[in-house]
Amino acid sequence: MTGAAEIPFWAALPVAVLVLFGAGLGLTGSIGLLRLRGFYERVHAPTLGTTLGIGSILIASMLFFSVLQTRPVLHELLIAAFIVVTTPVTLMLLARAALHRDRAESDPSVPAPAAPTAPPPPA
């Protein structure tokens, strides 16, 4: 990384803490992905690492390059917005596809679809 030695200590410390925190959350999500048994349990673990871990790493990146270039560097906000929008949508689509597959295969461990609700009475 070019110029990493030029960054002052007051900026290097929070950057290091944020990167380590983000990496720790990513590691936690990866371990959860390996340790949990079922698909529905496994879906949750990586989303924690993705959302919080990537968020803290992006904040560290903004701080590092803003201090290094002596101007605000905000490119990471676009990346963060993309991740915040796509992660829940991806999770929902994967879970719905798995639920549809399991119901089509008549898996007894999957709950039945909710009963249709009655329309509200006319006023």
Side-chain angles (χ1 to χ4, degrees), residues 3 46 52-53 76 78 106:
L52 294 176
E76 289 82 358
L78 185 62
S106 301

Side-chain angles (χ1 to χ4, degrees), residues 18-19 21-23 25-26 47-58:
L18 285 170
V19 167
F21 181 69
L25 286 176
T47 56
L48 169 75
T50 301
T51 307
L52 294 176
I54 295 297
S56 66
I57 290 174
L58 289 175

Side-chain angles (χ1 to χ4, degrees), residues 12-110:
L13 185 63
V15 166
V17 168
L18 285 170
V19 167
L20 287 175
F21 181 69
L25 286 176
L27 179 65
T28 303
S30 299
I31 291 172
L33 185 64
L34 291 175
R35 299 277 310 199
L36 296 175
R37 286 176 262 151
F39 174 79
Y40 300 106
E41 294 170 344
R42 286 183 175 175
V43 171
H44 291 284
T47 56
L48 169 75
T50 301
T51 307
L52 294 176
I54 295 297
S56 66
I57 290 174
L58 289 175
I59 291 172
S61 175
M62 283 193 307
L63 180 63
F64 178 81
F65 288 108
S66 294
V67 169
L68 195 63
Q69 297 179 9
T70 62
R71 65 180 178 90
V73 177
L74 303 175
H75 302 107
E76 289 82 358
L77 290 178
L78 185 62
I79 298 169
F82 182 72
I83 289 172
V84 166
V85 169
T86 59
T87 299
V89 172
T90 304
L91 169 70
M92 183 186 71
L93 290 176
L94 285 173
R96 282 181 175 237
L99 188 62
H100 177 74
R101 180 200 61 204
D102 290 345
R103 283 183 180 157
E105 294 176 353
S106 301
D107 188 353
S109 65
V110 176

